[in-house]
Amino acid sequence: MVGTKFLDAVLSKNMATTPKVHSSGNKGRSRISIFVIIALCCFFYLLGVWQKSGSGKGDGYAMEMNKQQVNCNFSPSLDFESHHKYVASVESSEPKAKVFEPCDAKLTDYTPCQEQDRAMKFPRENMIYRERHCPPEEEEKLRCLIPAPNGYTTPFPWPKSRDYVYYSNVPFKSLTVEKANQNWVEYQGNVFKFPGGGTMFPQGADAYIDELARVIPIADGTVRTALDTGCGVASWGAYMLKRNVLPMSFAPRDNHEAQVQFALERGVPAIIGVLGSIKLPYPPRSFDMAQCSRCLIQWASNDGIYLKEVDRVLRPGGYWVLSGPPINWKTYYKTWKRTKEDLEAEQTRIEDLAKSLCWEKKYEKGDIAIFRKKINAKSCKRKSANYCEASDDDNLWYKKMETCVTPFPEVESPTEVAGGELKKFPARLYDVPPRVRNGEVPGVTPESYEEDSKLWKKHVAAYKKSIRLLGTTRYRNIMDMNAGLGGFAAAMESSKLWVMNVVPIIAEKTLGIIYERGLIGMYHDWCEGFSTYPRTYDLIHASGLFKLYDNKCEFEDILLEMDRILRPEGMVIVRDEVDVINKVMKIAGGMRWDVKMVDHEDGPLVPQKILIAMKQYWVAAAAASNSTDR
């Protein structure tokens, strides 16, 4: 029972062993008397449990194990050192659930909606072939477990992970050759080292950010959320985290292998994505700033569609940074093998387009240009624009980009921030967001928002009592699969971790509220694969997700996707109704997860339960030998 003891060690509170009832009545006792005695015992036992729970002030979780047995054999400590050996599956006395076999070892980096073979079948214009293209038929979906590569090692803890990644986890050296003179990444023995450089910041990301900070108020909490388009290995985002700025970085899965995989392995928020033909999965007015550092996006082409998409997601008063072509063309035109006239014309088109979007150029020096978006339409003077028609602004999933201009929300005075002014972070984390104050999200009021925040503080406090290292660097990359108003992420907020808040497309469109709190996230459909590589999250949280998707798609497909993106020895917390938890637990029993169901923090009489699971450590070589043994 190695796996069960391993999971037990994560849970910090010991529970009293469930008392056993011994029945030894004499032969003359009637069946009715026996029944009455048993009923009374059960009644007083439940009454005692209820009283112990304190009616909302419980001091621990009740453990519900197979056949209602309680395992009180807690290990005194948990070893979180790097593992290299296969940990055997837990044997159970229950009838065995469906066993999911390991996938072929060549699928260790399988990303279902960004697979290269499928991508090459789509048009190359507007980067369509680099966008999401998921397996179209049900029978094409893999129903096996994606193995970790042989030699997989627990990543370095933050902040060391910012600078070092194990080669065995991301065994791709092409960037060390292609970007050898740009200070991106170096290969040293069994690790990659990330010096913090980049194509446009050879002196390092810190020096580059210092220059931006001369114009952009990065230090005082005004800028909290930042978008990095074409992020490379996300060194800019990695060093923005040091300034308490939360980046959302993206890059396509292209011939530069594993850029986003490197970013996530380093502990930096990132997804596989591209500015192509489909809208980005973020609501309007999400980001306080955005930047392109030699991202090579043709900003002035296609009627400025890409810059208009950045404008859509940029908050009024937000900043846009462009470093790289065509900025500083007088110095680099020969290196770029373009004429002065061509580059000057491109920069002029970008600046004209920026003016039409109500952006003002605030700075240009060397390789960097900085623009600021006006705070409202009244504060800018522009000619008539092709405004987008009023629509559901958060209905974004697979929606085509538009060449129209996203209008500012209406204001009453030239000094009013369109959409509402935000407090500086961290005050904005719990301040009532403008979208809530303005009644933009149906059913969400200031009162219900504040109540939700209180509830999640309570839930997270209970999680931390049971999962000993929750809130430490052991769980750095965290995902909330059904984020709601972002209460879980807000309660978890710490420089030691970050949370990807995912709002399912079939749920209420609350992602704008999450961004106004100074958190990050995206819209997604959990009937499809997520835009990330395998093994990129340390902990996955899902509250009410399976009930939401009941009869929408198969639970096992969602669980297999969770397993794909979860690191070995990563944790899963599922909070849902007891019948849903039972279905999930049955499937998870065949997935090399060690699982336990625990009671709601308010006691066993609450129908909502929590499933806590740990993914076992196993790798491709071990999987192959294990399959042979079977």
Side-chain angles (χ1 to χ4, degrees):
M1 300 295 287
V2 175
T4 301
K5 291 180 181 179
F6 192 65
L7 178 57
D8 282 340
V10 182
L11 306 177
S12 62
K13 292 259 183 182
N14 290 332
M15 300 299 300
T17 306
T18 306
K20 296 181 180 179
V21 178
H22 298 277
S23 57
S24 57
N26 57 49
K27 296 181 181 180
R29 180 176 295 170
S30 69
R31 293 182 180 178
I32 295 176
S33 299
I34 294 173
F35 176 81
V36 170
I37 291 170
I38 293 173
L40 286 171
C41 288
C42 291
F43 171 78
F44 285 111
Y45 172 72
L46 290 174
L47 180 62
V49 171
W50 177 79
Q51 288 174 334
K52 184 179 178 180
S53 73
S55 187
K57 299 180 181 178
D59 61 352
Y61 284 109
M63 310 302 295
E64 179 174 338
M65 299 298 293
N66 292 333
K67 288 192 174 182
Q68 306 301 314
Q69 297 294 315
V70 178
N71 183 352
C72 298
N73 184 19
F74 286 79
S75 301
S77 63
L78 178 60
D79 175 20
F80 281 100
E81 293 298 318
S82 302
H83 289 262
H84 303 273
K85 294 183 179 180
Y86 169 66
V87 178
S89 300
V90 178
E91 293 296 331
S92 171
S93 59
E94 287 280 325
K96 290 189 176 181
K98 174 183 175 181
V99 175
F100 295 92
E101 298 293 336
C103 301
D104 192 285
K106 67 182 180 181
L107 295 172
T108 54
D109 294 311
Y110 177 67
T111 53
C113 298
Q114 274 93 10
E115 278 302 286
Q116 294 295 291
D117 291 344
R118 186 179 299 109
M120 298 310 293
K121 299 175 183 177
F122 290 86
R124 293 191 170 227
E125 64 175 322
N126 298 328
M127 298 292 286
I128 291 173
Y129 76 115
R130 293 298 184 198
E131 294 179 327
R132 288 174 55 85
H133 302 290
C134 300
E137 301 297 334
E138 188 70 18
E139 56 267 21
E140 281 192 40
K141 289 188 176 181
L142 292 181
R143 288 189 169 83
C144 52
L145 304 175
I146 302 298
N150 192 19
Y152 178 87
T153 302
T154 306
F156 291 107
W158 182 266
K160 187 175 181 179
S161 65
R162 186 193 68 184
D163 302 327
Y164 294 95
V165 165
Y166 284 109
Y167 169 77
S168 58
N169 293 6
V170 194
F172 303 112
K173 294 183 182 178
S174 64
L175 282 175
T176 64
V177 178
E178 293 181 36
K179 305 294 182 180
N181 63 341
Q182 295 174 16
N183 217 22
W184 274 34
V185 56
E186 302 168 359
Y187 177 62
Q188 298 181 353
N190 68 334
V191 300
F192 290 110
K193 181 181 178 182
F194 297 85
T199 308
M200 300 313 301
F201 34 94
Q203 302 305 314
D206 260 338
Y208 176 81
I209 294 169
D210 284 341
E211 184 170 0
L212 301 184
R214 296 173 190 169
V215 180
I216 302 172
I218 291 174
D220 68 355
T222 299
V223 170
R224 167 63 177 176
T225 57
L227 182 67
D228 190 6
T229 57
C231 65
V233 295
S235 287
W236 182 78
Y239 282 82
M240 287 293 278
L241 284 165
K242 194 169 75 170
R243 318 284 178 119
N244 206 25
V245 174
L246 195 54
M248 171 68 80
S249 303
F250 70 82
R253 181 173 184 175
D254 59 10
N255 57 320
H256 291 160
E257 292 176 300
Q259 294 179 86
V260 167
Q261 195 172 13
F262 274 127
L264 286 155
E265 195 72 15
R266 297 175 71 184
V268 182
I271 62 167
I272 302 172
V274 65
L275 275 169
S277 66
I278 303 298
K279 288 183 177 181
L280 296 172
Y282 319 118
R285 312 190 308 277
S286 292
F287 296 96
D288 302 318
M289 73 174 292
Q291 83 118 18
C292 159
S293 173
R294 195 173 171 81
C295 61
L296 303 181
I297 294 170
Q298 300 299 309
W299 296 111
S301 65
N302 295 334
D303 198 20
I305 193 170
Y306 302 130
L307 206 57
K308 290 174 181 176
E309 178 64 1
V310 171
D311 176 70
R312 182 184 70 80
V313 300
L314 189 63
R315 193 180 309 287
Y319 294 86
W320 183 61
V321 178
L322 175 61
S323 62
I327 306 302
N328 205 6
W329 54 267
K330 292 179 182 179
T331 302
Y332 294 117
Y333 75 95
K334 289 183 179 179
T335 303
W336 297 337
K337 298 180 181 179
R338 294 174 64 182
T339 65
K340 291 182 179 181
E341 294 75 16
D342 179 34
L343 288 163
E344 184 178 18
E346 182 181 349
Q347 181 163 348
T348 299
R349 289 195 299 273
I350 289 173
E351 294 192 5
D352 288 344
L353 180 59
K355 288 178 183 177
S356 74
L357 297 172
C358 273
W359 296 9
E360 179 185 4
K361 187 162 79 168
K362 307 293 289 186
Y363 177 87
E364 182 178 345
K365 183 178 180 181
D367 301 336
I368 298 173
I370 301 175
F371 298 79
R372 190 185 185 201
K373 183 176 179 177
K374 295 284 188 177
I375 63 172
N376 58 48
K378 290 182 183 292
S379 62
C380 69
K381 298 177 181 179
R382 63 179 172 189
K383 300 175 182 178
S384 59
N386 173 29
Y387 290 110
C388 301
E389 295 181 3
S391 62
D392 183 357
D393 292 337
D394 284 64
N395 186 19
L396 305 168
W397 195 241
Y398 289 124
K399 298 297 182 183
K400 292 286 186 181
M401 282 186 197
E402 301 175 279
T403 56
C404 56
V405 177
T406 303
F408 284 95
E410 294 292 331
V411 295
E412 295 182 358
S413 74
T415 59
E416 183 183 350
V417 178
E421 188 171 4
L422 297 173
K423 290 186 177 180
K424 295 178 180 180
F425 195 85
R428 71 192 254 192
L429 185 63
Y430 283 105
D431 187 48
V432 177
R435 278 173 167 88
V436 176
R437 290 198 302 266
N438 299 337
E440 295 181 34
V441 182
V444 183
T445 65
E447 294 74 21
S448 65
Y449 166 80
E450 290 177 351
E451 186 61 32
D452 183 81
S453 294
K454 291 178 183 177
L455 182 64
W456 278 107
K457 285 180 180 178
K458 174 183 173 181
H459 289 337
V460 168
Y463 291 159
K464 288 182 177 180
K465 287 181 181 178
S466 289
I467 303 175
R468 293 163 48 183
L469 297 182
L470 187 60
T472 72
T473 55
R474 175 61 184 87
Y475 302 111
R476 166 77 182 167
N477 300 2
I478 298 177
M479 174 182 284
D480 192 357
M481 297 177 72
N482 187 22
L485 303 180
F488 169 79
M492 288 290 297
E493 171 60 26
S494 167
S495 61
K496 299 174 183 177
L497 57 88
W498 58 270
V499 179
M500 179 68 76
N501 292 281
V502 181
V503 175
I505 60 168
I506 60 175
E508 288 294 333
K509 304 298 189 292
T510 56
L511 191 54
I513 293 173
I514 290 169
Y515 272 95
E516 287 182 343
R517 300 185 77 164
L519 305 169
I520 58 170
M522 60 184 288
Y523 286 113
H524 182 66
D525 183 1
W526 284 111
C527 292
E528 299 181 358
F530 192 73
S531 294
T532 191
Y533 287 85
R535 303 172 303 281
T536 48
Y537 286 88
D538 300 301
L539 185 144
I540 299 176
H541 178 258
S543 176
L545 178 83
F546 288 94
K547 182 181 178 182
L548 180 69
Y549 273 94
D550 200 7
N551 300 318
K552 301 292 190 307
C553 50
E554 297 296 328
F555 282 10
E556 72 174 44
D557 288 334
I558 298 175
L559 285 161
L560 286 170
E561 179 62 4
M562 292 168 69
D563 182 81
R564 184 185 74 86
I565 66 179
L566 186 66
R567 287 173 172 162
E569 295 179 355
M571 294 290 294
V572 173
I573 304 173
V574 179
R575 176 183 288 267
D576 225 311
E577 294 181 356
V578 64
D579 57 336
V580 175
I581 291 287
N582 281 328
K583 292 178 185 177
V584 171
M585 194 170 184
K586 184 176 180 181
I587 298 168
M591 294 176 56
R592 302 186 185 218
W593 289 8
D594 302 321
V595 296
K596 290 187 177 183
M597 186 193 299
V598 303
D599 278 318
H600 190 281
E601 60 265 20
D602 287 349
L605 299 183
V606 180
Q608 190 181 70
K609 304 296 178 184
I610 297 99
L611 178 72
I612 298 179
M614 176 177 283
K615 179 178 176 178
Q616 296 173 10
Y617 178 91
W618 60 279
V619 299
S625 62
N626 195 45
S627 297
T628 303
D629 293 342
R630 275 197 292 269

